[in-house]
Amino acid sequence: MVTGKEDAANNFARGACSIGLDVVGHVTDSIRQILESCDSFQGFMVFHSVGGGTGSGFTAFILDDMLEEHGKKCKLEVAIYPAPEISTVVVEPYNAVFFTHATLDHFNVSFIADNEALYKICKHNLDIDLPAYKNINRLVAQAISTITSSIRFGGPLNVDLQEFQTNLVPYPKIHFPLMAYAPVTSARNASHEALTVMSMTRSCFDPHSHMLNVSSTALSKGEGSFPQDSALGQYIACCLLYRGNVVPKEVNAAISFIKNNRSIKFVSWSPTGFKVGINQQKPIAVPNGDLAEVDKCVCLLANTTSVTRTWTVLNRKYDLMFDKRAFVHWYQAEGMEISEMEDARECLAVLERDYYELMTPMEPMGDR
């Protein structure tokens, strides 16, 4: 465990350019010692938030340092991105844009979520009126545990870290899948629900189960760069990771149903679209926790064009502040230049358009 006496004060530049210099040596030495004790080192998994200064700036700094020594190793990220309508940090649009620009070429796959979507899942599925970070962390932990279960336990269809990139990322920069987990039910309601592979799989494709809010009303009046139908999204590739008492025949039936469900759209140029993993180790519930103990579960990792919505909201918030040069002086004081900020914003604009252009036109686009 590495600790410091002060944080980056919600400032990307402070974490990446100034205060991070004091502790980066200690952190990299600790990482190196851990790697030397590994029997079979596959890659890195990075857990952080991109809205604050340490989670964005210092993480980007560490990744730059790690890239020189471990450039070829797989790097997976689980990141909490700014929510469309809930915020705890005024300058999080700056931090998120700067971090995404700085690390776009560092990560192989980035699994993204936001607190607003996680709050809604806890409130509606677990009947928690005022979810705390403990509640949402336990929910995310179940999804992460399912992602890594194939590395930790044996199973009939195991998935290693490298396979996520191969099956979910069509182009290097299009590497931001969202996550969903099922079943999310409390112990009080578990006895009333039929837990089947079909019901779990269908639940994961329900937008209300997604850990990223891509249906926000933040752009309901059409302020975004693209038409409103981009919020509906189309699936590019999906990875379904099952745990517990799951039979492959039931999985095949569930996938066939999803493919034939006209309310769920897939891009026409990715005809297969599904990667499946099955691990027979059943999920473990936290004693006296929020989630009911079950004998099977599934985690969906979906690369979908609806993620465009995240970049659209983020870019708009960034522009509202940057046009007034609000708070910019705090970043300049730590060593950032205006040109770097403009380059980062342009990078996000390109990423936003790249995602949108992957959509298969549902109708002639005309002059929209």
Side-chain angles (χ1 to χ4, degrees):
M1 180 70 71
V2 179
T3 61
K5 293 182 179 179
E6 56 181 317
D7 60 11
N10 295 136
N11 188 329
F12 173 90
R14 183 172 168 82
C17 305
S18 57
I19 197 70
L21 291 170
D22 298 333
V23 293
V24 65
H26 187 193
V27 173
T28 52
D29 287 343
S30 298
I31 294 174
R32 192 175 295 111
Q33 291 175 15
I34 294 172
L35 297 183
E36 289 173 354
S37 64
C38 290
D39 296 328
S40 179
F41 171 47
Q42 286 195 31
F44 297 94
M45 289 195 72
V46 181
F47 306 91
H48 66 113
S49 166
V50 302
T54 306
S56 61
F58 186 63
T59 302
F61 189 26
I62 289 293
L63 288 167
D64 279 333
D65 190 78
M66 287 167 48
L67 196 63
E68 298 179 6
E69 191 171 351
H70 307 287
K72 295 183 179 180
K73 288 295 183 179
C74 182
K75 297 180 181 66
L76 271 60
E77 169 191 27
V78 179
I80 301 297
Y81 263 74
E85 299 171 24
I86 295 177
S87 172
T88 58
V89 179
V90 174
V91 293
E92 67 180 13
Y94 285 160
N95 295 330
V97 169
F98 297 154
F99 173 84
T100 305
H101 169 247
T103 62
L104 194 58
D105 297 325
H106 291 356
F107 287 111
N108 300 95
V109 188
S110 298
F111 305 117
I112 58 177
D114 70 57
N115 285 331
E116 186 175 337
L118 293 167
Y119 281 136
K120 289 180 178 179
I121 294 173
C122 288
K123 185 174 182 179
H124 296 149
N125 295 48
L126 299 176
D127 299 325
I128 303 174
D129 292 331
L130 296 173
Y133 283 125
K134 177 181 68 175
N135 305 117
I136 64 175
N137 285 341
R138 286 177 174 176
L139 178 59
V140 175
Q142 287 290 349
I144 295 171
S145 176
T146 304
I147 293 172
T148 61
S149 61
S150 292
I151 305 171
R152 296 178 289 116
F153 307 107
L157 281 175
N158 269 5
V159 181
D160 64 28
L161 295 183
Q162 198 68 43
E163 290 184 53
F164 291 125
Q165 180 187 14
T166 304
N167 292 280
L168 289 175
V169 182
Y171 308 105
K173 291 184 178 180
I174 310 298
H175 64 252
F176 295 91
L178 55 79
M179 300 183 292
Y181 178 84
V184 180
T185 182
S186 63
R188 183 176 60 182
N189 298 330
S191 59
H192 307 297
E193 298 186 9
L195 182 59
T196 64
V197 171
M198 178 67 76
S199 64
M200 291 191 310
T201 307
R202 292 178 62 180
S203 175
C204 277
F205 283 90
D206 183 345
H208 295 98
S209 297
H210 294 167
M211 295 183 180
L212 186 73
N213 188 352
V214 292
S215 58
S216 168
T217 58
L219 294 180
S220 60
K221 297 182 181 179
E223 297 99 327
S225 305
F226 304 116
Q228 292 299 297
D229 59 4
S230 66
L232 300 176
Q234 297 175 15
Y235 288 90
I236 299 169
C238 303
C239 182
L240 287 165
L241 302 173
Y242 294 89
R243 289 184 68 179
N245 183 23
V246 176
V247 180
K249 182 179 179 180
E250 296 176 342
V251 174
N252 293 334
I255 292 176
S256 296
F257 174 84
I258 296 299
K259 285 184 175 181
N260 296 325
N261 188 345
R262 294 187 177 183
S263 65
I264 299 172
K265 300 180 177 63
F266 290 82
V267 294
S268 61
W269 49 267
S270 182
T272 306
F274 282 89
K275 166 69 178 174
V276 176
I278 300 177
N279 188 278
Q280 293 177 338
Q281 183 75 21
K282 75 173 187 177
I284 303 299
V286 177
N288 301 318
D290 310 315
L291 294 169
E293 186 172 347
V294 294
D295 64 351
K296 61 174 73 75
C297 71
V298 60
C299 178
L300 168 68
L301 307 173
N303 201 344
T304 167
T305 61
S306 62
V307 174
T308 306
R309 193 79 161 177
T310 302
W311 312 132
T312 302
V313 175
L314 190 60
N315 288 338
R316 176 174 173 269
K317 289 180 178 179
Y318 181 99
D319 291 341
L320 288 172
M321 291 196 301
F322 191 73
D323 287 348
K324 300 291 185 181
R325 295 297 189 268
F327 308 106
V328 166
H329 61 287
W330 295 117
Y331 292 82
Q332 291 179 300
E334 299 293 343
M336 281 194 76
E337 298 179 358
I338 291 292
S339 60
E340 294 179 73
M341 301 178 186
E342 293 172 342
D343 289 345
R345 175 60 180 86
E346 179 61 28
C347 173
L348 264 290
V350 172
L351 181 63
E352 181 183 1
R353 181 163 293 278
D354 285 347
Y355 259 97
Y356 182 74
E357 290 179 349
L358 293 176
M359 292 182 65
T360 303
M362 306 307 295
E363 58 183 6
M365 299 296 288
D367 297 327
R368 275 204 281 187

